[in-house]
Amino acid sequence: MASLLVGDTVSITGYILCGRDAVLPKLLKMVKEGKIDELGISLLGNVVFHTAVSPAGVGPTSSNKLEIESSMEPLSKAGIKLHLGKGAINKETVEALDKHNAVYAVIPPVTALLANKTIEQKLVAFPELGMEALYQLKIVQYPAIIAAAHGRSIYE
């Protein structure tokens, strides 16, 4: 994370988590209660993609929604290093990411492109939320642009 700069383009490959408005508050509750290990995943060094997983595929949702943006600092503190979504985030959030050595990247809203780069998906928790449940994806070369890093943002 230390070498990433605002405007850098990155390609993300590996396992990532998917969460948005409905599931992120539940995930935060588990972090606060010390129960995150019950999910069989680690947040340490992980990525959270602000999306739902549906039969149509995945595409970013707006990261500045209250439930999403307010999760970014506590999830970064818990180990998440990259938040992936779309849109501008508040200056306070940009500073909080810097404080916890995390970054925010935007991804083009191109569901068809991402479908070809998503190799597998697994429901991790909260199946009652349907497509907004917590999922883990295995991805290959998701394109993204670093939008906030080291206290700076491309939206300023």
Side-chain angles (χ1 to χ4, degrees):
M1 296 302 126
S3 66
L4 292 174
L5 300 174
V6 170
D8 284 353
T9 57
V10 295
S11 180
I12 304 164
T13 297
Y15 289 95
I16 64 171
L17 300 172
C18 297
R20 51 176 287 170
D21 342 18
V23 77
L24 291 176
K26 291 179 176 288
L27 193 59
L28 288 177
K29 183 177 182 215
M30 291 188 80
V31 167
K32 280 184 180 179
E33 294 172 351
K35 296 182 178 181
I36 199 70
D37 291 339
E38 294 175 11
L39 298 179
I41 59 167
S42 173
L43 299 184
L44 194 59
N46 217 325
V47 175
V48 171
F49 183 14
H50 305 149
T51 189
V53 177
S54 77
V58 296
T61 194
S62 297
S63 298
N64 60 6
K65 294 178 183 178
L66 177 62
E67 296 85 357
I68 296 174
E69 189 166 356
S70 65
S71 77
M72 293 172 79
E73 180 174 14
L75 286 176
S76 296
K77 186 177 180 180
I80 295 295
K81 291 300 172 193
L82 175 63
H83 300 268
L84 187 57
K86 73 175 184 180
I89 55 175
N90 292 313
K91 178 72 173 155
E92 296 80 18
T93 305
V94 172
E95 291 168 358
L97 291 173
D98 185 38
K99 177 181 171 184
H100 298 292
N101 193 31
V103 299
Y104 168 62
V106 292
I107 192 163
V110 286
T111 304
L113 169 68
L114 299 180
N116 292 333
K117 297 179 177 295
T118 304
I119 296 174
E120 62 186 58
Q121 68 183 43
K122 173 181 147 185
L123 175 64
V124 175
F126 312 111
E128 70 277 9
L129 298 177
M131 67 183 195
E132 289 197 33
L134 181 66
Y135 281 85
Q136 181 181 56
L137 302 181
K138 184 176 183 182
I139 62 170
V140 175
Q141 297 182 338
Y142 266 28
I145 300 166
I146 302 300
H150 314 295
R152 296 189 55 236
S153 169
I154 61 173
Y155 297 103
E156 297 176 342

